[in-house]
Amino acid sequence: MKRVLVTGGAGFIGSNFVYYLLGHASEVECVVNLDALTYAGNLENLTAVEADARYHFIKGDIRDKELVEKLFVKYDFDTVVHFAAESHVD
């Protein structure tokens, strides 16, 4: 069973990936969404998975080394998918 850390999972692409994992990847035991909820993140994108016991949201920044280390200890991830890049263009 896979334990997946998704960074930036409240953004458009990240949230769709979370939906995909929880809906189509039967080997996924746990999806942790680490998102700072800047202008690009929106938790409303994930309302349909909030009640899924496999889904966990953590508000935080990937630059917070202590937080990320604690998450790795707690969840023992074997996969990390990184969507926490801000590429806003006016």
Side-chain angles (χ1 to χ4, degrees):
M1 298 300 273
K2 295 212 179 255
R3 295 172 166 265
V4 182
L5 172 62
V6 178
T7 65
F12 177 75
I13 297 171
S15 61
N16 280 284
F17 185 72
V18 168
Y19 278 116
Y20 175 81
L21 285 176
L22 294 173
H24 296 92
S26 60
E27 72 278 3
V28 171
E29 161 185 356
C30 172
V31 175
V32 175
N33 173 11
L34 175 62
D35 198 300
L37 295 179
T38 62
Y39 73 90
N42 185 347
L43 286 179
E44 291 180 17
N45 293 339
L46 295 155
T47 55
V49 297
E50 288 175 337
D52 190 318
R54 299 171 298 160
Y55 175 73
H56 307 278
F57 173 75
I58 308 294
K59 182 176 182 194
D61 194 311
I62 61 170
R63 296 173 295 180
D64 183 340
K65 182 180 177 183
E66 284 184 38
L67 172 61
V68 174
E69 286 175 345
K70 286 179 185 177
L71 292 175
F72 268 85
V73 168
K74 180 176 182 177
Y75 293 102
D76 191 28
F77 301 113
D78 54 59
T79 305
V80 177
V81 183
H82 177 60
F83 294 110
E86 294 187 357
S87 58
H88 180 73
V89 177
D90 287 336

